[in-house]
Amino acid sequence: MDSYGIFFLVLFALGGVHLSKQEVCEPGYVTNLTLNQDYTLSWETPPDETCEIQSYIVFITTLNGTLQYALPTMRPAIQFHTLPECTSYIFRVHQVSTDNVQGLGWSVQLVTPPTSDANLQLQYVRISQTETHARLEWSLEEEWASCASRYRVVIIDEDTNDATDIYTQATFVNLNSVVPCGRYTVGVVALFTLVEQGPIFTIQHTSLGRVTNVPQVTDLQIGSTSATITVELEEYSRNRCALSNLIFDASPSFNLTYTIQNQANRVLPVTITNLVPNTLYYLRISAVNTAGSSNPFLLAIQTRES
Ligand SMILES: *[C@@H]1O[C@H](CO)[C@@H](O)[C@H](O)[C@H]1NC(C)=O
Ligand SMILES: *[C@@H]1O[C@H](CO)[C@@H](O)[C@H](O)[C@H]1NC(C)=O
Ligand SMILES: *[C@@H]1O[C@H](CO)[C@@H](O)[C@H](O)[C@H]1NC(C)=O
């Protein structure tokens, strides 16, 4: 009888040593901490975890570090539908071993989803433009502004069909590359959490006109009674305002107006006839578009003797 008792005591003592060794097993980090589409936060115990994990604990703090909730959970996931909407929190997940030792936490910052009755439609999208600057701006209702994590802006150039795609956290974009009289379609969408987005808000915009740059004379052929002057106008890709006239003003001798029909062709040879031989003419060459008349190119020509 006595010998049996000692035998069991020894076994128990061995077991005790074994248990106390397990107590120092501190779990490592969780992996794959992920926000899922249904607003659950999930994570996993890595395969190389040496401790046996019995549960997890999730600490939810505000961005200034104030602890709001401590949620123990057996499953490697929590739902956070019940938290106030559109608020930034830090979720920190710790593993807890079977011996009740809490490991180090892994954290992620998240914005909680908007409620189902939230108005996620943009209130407006507009472009304000001065001669030198264009700015696109938009707004959500103030109550829901904090819900949007980012905005997506798509700008389509209607003349070339080029599309520009911009993601931003700001509520404006500077439009540095709009072309005078260019036609654009602009769409803005607010993006919420991972998958949800508000309705698209689309506007059409034609940018302000601008007179063309001073025409350039690139070739000149002068006879005794005629002159062929090749004029190069500002590229169509830099100014899409429709051109109407090219003026060769040599007042008081003559003042000629040519109609421009092909908007894409910007190199125009023009022949002026009925000039007087051996005469000096001062020309002011300007181009007229929907925004008005350009500054003139000043040219002096001397016709040949006959
Ligand atoms: C984490 O996710 C990746 C990709 O989904 C998967 O391949 C990997 O097995 C996951 N890790 C664990 C520990 O489950
Ligand atoms: C931290 O932020 C919460 C709201 O986000 C606020 O209620 C609390 O007073 C703040 N605490 C400190 C210490 O600033
Ligand atoms: C020459 O003609 C143009 C176009 O009709 C006109 O705008 C301009 O004033 C004229 N120049 C002079 C000096 O009259």
Side-chain angles (χ1 to χ4, degrees), residues 124-177:
Y124 64 83
V125 171
R126 63 175 171 234
I127 291 177
S128 52
Q129 193 174 15
T130 65
E131 288 204 349
T132 56
H133 207 74
R135 183 179 162 110
L136 171 69
E137 47 198 6
W138 58 88
S139 167
L140 270 177
E141 249 178 57
E142 198 183 336
E143 187 182 352
W144 308 110
S146 64
C147 299
S149 58
R150 310 187 283 174
Y151 299 89
R152 180 180 181 191
V153 180
V154 179
I155 302 167
I156 297 165
D157 182 329
E158 292 296 341
D159 299 298
T160 63
N161 265 328
D162 288 342
T164 310
D165 212 339
I166 301 167
Y167 288 85
T168 178
Q169 292 184 320
T171 54
F172 68 89
V173 165
N174 287 321
L175 303 173
N176 298 321
S177 56

Side-chain angles (χ1 to χ4, degrees), residues 247 249 251 255 257:
I247 297 169
D249 184 356
S251 300
N255 186 2
T257 298

Side-chain angles (χ1 to χ4, degrees), residues 61-68 87-89:
T61 51
T62 55
L63 294 190
N64 63 19
T66 310
L67 180 65
Q68 302 286 302
T87 310
S88 284
Y89 289 104

Side-chain angles (χ1 to χ4, degrees), residues 36-98:
N36 302 291
Q37 299 192 358
D38 58 349
Y39 302 125
T40 56
L41 185 69
S42 69
W43 56 88
E44 287 166 62
T45 291
D48 60 356
E49 173 59 60
T50 51
C51 300
E52 203 176 325
I53 303 303
Q54 73 168 3
S55 66
Y56 306 90
I57 184 158
V58 183
F59 293 103
I60 304 175
T61 51
T62 55
L63 294 190
N64 63 19
T66 310
L67 180 65
Q68 302 286 302
Y69 305 93
L71 304 176
T73 168
M74 304 297 283
R75 290 195 326 114
I78 56 163
Q79 270 221 322
F80 52 88
H81 257 314
T82 50
L83 292 176
E85 75 281 351
C86 302
T87 310
S88 284
Y89 289 104
I90 295 166
F91 291 76
R92 200 173 71 244
V93 182
H94 300 254
Q95 304 195 98
V96 181
S97 69
T98 40

